[in-house]
Amino acid sequence: MSLSSAINTAQTIFNNTAAQTALVSKNISNVSNADYSRRMAMLGTNGNGAQIVSIQRAQNDALMKQHSISIAQSSAQSTLLTGLETIKSALGGNGYETSPSNYLKLFRDSLQTFASTPGNASVAATTVSSASDLAKSLVKTSASVQDVRYQADKEIDASVKTLNGLLADFEKANYAVQGATASGADASDALDQRDKLLRQISEIVGISTVTRANNDTVIYTSDGTVLFENTPRTVTFQATPGFGATTTGNGIYVDGVPLKAGNGANTSGEGKLASLLQLRDDIAPKFQTQLDEIARGLVTLFQENTTPATTALPGLFTWADGTVPAAGTLVPGMAASLTINPLATANPTLVRDGGFNGPGYSSNTSGSSGYTDLLDSFATALGENMAFDTTTGLDGTSSIMDFASSSIGWLEELRSAASTANDNKTALLSRTQDALSNVTGVSLDEELSQLLDLEQSYKASAKLVSTVDAMMTALLQAVG
């Protein structure tokens, strides 16, 4: 090897070592950055046989796609569980202490106590108070359910705006990747940014991707609607200012195509939008129908009639319409206006005697303070079967006590199954994150080991340079 060749070789080694050291340093500085993929320096030769360093980015497309799916599924399940937990909290938490079912049991106990001491004015007042607590529980729970729908609607609105912003950012990142790929420049930073945006989009809506020439990426929703192709597709949604039992929320549209809601406790939805739709349009409305049927049942069971029978009228329990609804027929929003008859507060003995609608509706015609027939019939009726609307998802024939308990059971079964599914999907997400990190993440130990190898390479190059220098010095001295 000539001295000039040795010097050129040393210079090449110095340049390559510097490039590799800079890359290792960049890797180390991003060791805690979950959105960074490890860079690797690959040595090669050019047409003249000289060694060059090219940069390769660690990636695994299959794991990346699985990771996006896991993010979407976990986000959807977590969103659904959060909504169910909110409804549960409104009912008093684990013991459901403030649920209509619990207040119904307390009211029944008060009726039975009143029936055992019908002449006790204090017990009569307590019974009316229990009835009032029951009515207020239904009103409050109904308001909480509609608030869950309203909050879900607000979150949909915010998420859609975020999604549109992410898609606009993705367009810029995608162009940067295409430009770098086409020019042969390093596209690693742009690819990191694009992958980060894909993960963020996955939290909002389930996606799948297809990569085309020049690393161009097309995004589809999980049900096949184009979300991004060259330019973002517009995602539209109109928020609703308030919710009642008869309010229908607006849909989410991706380029004019409606986004599907999730289904089931182990939700089929991917991304939080699918679960928010499920909460707003399926679960919360279903629970509302159960509350409305409990309210209708109370008005029906405590109705008053004359002898001989005429038009039945509400007795102890009444509502905004002031009528007794048809048997087994749902009245949307009835629970929101349920209340006790104001006369009950002024004269609690009307619960014992009847007559909320005038003397002609009184059952205790003798005015006896020991009269218990009406109280006994109320207590018995609470445990007897009656017809309920089957659209509630519960048994169409049961007692109001069992129906109220079944409503809590329905919610708890749904919440428990959703919690189990959330644990499973969270665990799956963790495993896919670990698998992807093992491929694309930075290992500090490996990078430090690489630095040691580069140090040895630098020392060898420096030794070569010092040797050439010594030889050049000896040559000059010999010539001189």
Side-chain angles (χ1 to χ4, degrees):
M1 177 186 291
S2 66
L3 293 180
S4 60
S5 296
I7 291 175
N8 289 335
T9 299
Q11 184 62 48
T12 300
I13 294 174
F14 278 135
N15 290 338
N16 289 343
T17 301
Q20 290 175 279
T21 301
L23 198 60
V24 171
S25 297
K26 185 173 184 178
N27 284 342
I28 291 175
S29 67
N30 285 279
V31 69
S32 299
N33 184 356
D35 298 315
Y36 178 86
S37 289
R38 186 176 76 258
R39 315 291 200 253
M40 296 170 288
M42 310 301 292
L43 292 175
T45 57
N46 59 20
N48 297 321
Q51 281 195 331
I52 58 172
V53 174
S54 62
I55 299 174
Q56 182 174 326
R57 176 176 175 268
Q59 62 183 49
N60 185 306
D61 292 339
L63 280 176
M64 179 65 186
K65 289 181 179 181
Q66 182 57 50
H67 188 223
S68 293
I69 293 172
S70 296
I71 289 173
Q73 292 176 340
S74 180
S75 177
Q77 195 65 51
S78 175
T79 299
L80 179 64
L81 180 60
T82 298
L84 291 170
E85 292 287 2
T86 300
I87 297 175
K88 179 180 179 179
S89 296
L91 297 173
N94 291 334
Y96 293 99
E97 294 89 353
T98 59
S99 67
S101 175
N102 189 56
Y103 280 111
L104 184 57
K105 292 174 184 176
L106 295 175
F107 173 59
R108 179 197 58 188
D109 293 343
S110 293
L111 278 175
Q112 292 173 338
T113 301
F114 191 14
S116 65
T117 55
N120 191 316
S122 177
V123 173
T126 299
T127 301
V128 170
S129 178
S130 294
S132 178
D133 290 342
L134 173 55
K136 289 176 181 177
S137 171
L138 283 163
V139 171
K140 181 180 177 181
T141 304
S142 182
S144 296
V145 169
Q146 296 310 317
D147 186 61
V148 166
R149 298 185 69 204
Y150 174 66
Q151 294 301 328
D153 194 80
K154 282 181 60 178
E155 192 169 352
I156 289 172
D157 188 41
S159 296
V160 166
K161 291 175 181 176
T162 300
L163 177 58
N164 282 321
L166 290 172
L167 290 172
D169 291 341
F170 185 86
E171 182 180 19
K172 298 174 186 177
N174 194 52
Y175 280 147
V177 170
Q178 288 179 273
T181 301
S183 65
D186 180 20
S188 297
D189 289 342
L191 285 166
D192 280 351
Q193 177 64 15
R194 194 173 70 175
D195 286 351
K196 175 184 177 181
L197 290 168
L198 285 174
R199 285 190 285 269
Q200 292 174 331
I201 292 170
S202 296
E203 292 182 4
I204 299 174
V205 60
I207 61 172
S208 62
T209 60
V210 174
T211 301
R212 305 188 298 195
N214 282 335
N215 259 332
D216 178 32
T217 291
V218 180
I219 308 176
Y220 301 90
T221 63
S222 54
D223 54 4
T225 305
V226 176
L227 192 60
F228 177 93
E229 185 176 14
N230 298 321
T231 58
R233 297 299 189 263
T234 302
V235 184
T236 58
F237 174 74
Q238 183 64 47
T240 303
F243 278 83
T246 58
T247 305
T248 300
N250 295 310
I252 304 169
Y253 295 90
V254 179
D255 201 23
V257 179
L259 188 70
K260 293 181 181 179
N263 182 53
N266 181 5
T267 182
S268 60
E270 294 184 7
K272 67 166 60 177
L273 287 180
S275 287
L276 289 170
L277 286 173
Q278 184 180 357
L279 279 167
R280 190 196 67 179
D281 300 338
D282 179 22
I283 292 175
K286 181 76 71 175
F287 190 58
Q288 179 66 59
T289 63
Q290 296 168 9
L291 298 175
D292 291 337
E293 278 294 82
I294 294 173
R296 185 189 61 79
L298 289 171
V299 172
T300 299
L301 292 177
F302 288 83
Q303 65 180 296
E304 290 189 333
N305 213 326
T306 57
T307 304
T310 56
T311 302
L313 295 173
L316 175 59
F317 293 96
T318 188
W319 63 297
D321 192 69
T323 61
V324 177
T329 304
L330 177 68
V331 181
M334 187 173 177
S337 65
L338 187 71
T339 185
I340 62 169
N341 194 310
L343 295 175
T345 302
N347 183 10
T349 57
L350 286 174
V351 179
R352 179 194 67 194
D353 302 334
F356 285 102
N357 297 286
Y361 289 83
S362 176
S363 297
N364 184 13
T365 55
S366 65
S368 170
S369 62
Y371 181 77
T372 63
D373 289 357
L374 193 58
L375 292 172
D376 289 337
S377 68
F378 288 152
T380 300
L382 290 174
E384 292 180 337
N385 285 347
M386 61 183 298
F388 291 100
D389 197 312
T390 56
T391 60
T392 60
L394 303 179
D395 195 343
T397 303
S398 70
S399 70
I400 191 171
M401 299 292 298
D402 289 341
F403 186 88
S405 295
S406 296
S407 177
I408 295 299
W410 173 85
L411 178 63
E412 181 56 29
E413 182 179 3
L414 196 65
R415 189 208 61 80
S416 179
S419 179
T420 299
N422 185 63
D423 290 342
N424 293 337
K425 290 177 181 179
T426 299
L428 177 60
L429 174 58
S430 178
R431 288 196 294 270
T432 57
Q433 284 177 332
D434 289 344
L436 186 61
S437 178
N438 288 337
V439 174
T440 64
V442 177
S443 169
L444 185 58
D445 290 341
E446 290 181 10
E447 299 303 321
L448 292 176
S449 176
Q450 181 71 11
L451 274 181
L452 292 176
D453 291 341
L454 291 172
E455 181 183 5
Q456 295 304 315
S457 178
Y458 179 85
K459 287 180 178 179
S461 301
K463 181 66 175 176
L464 177 60
V465 169
S466 65
T467 300
V468 170
D469 180 63
M471 292 176 69
M472 289 290 290
T473 300
L475 179 62
L476 291 172
Q477 288 176 349
V479 172

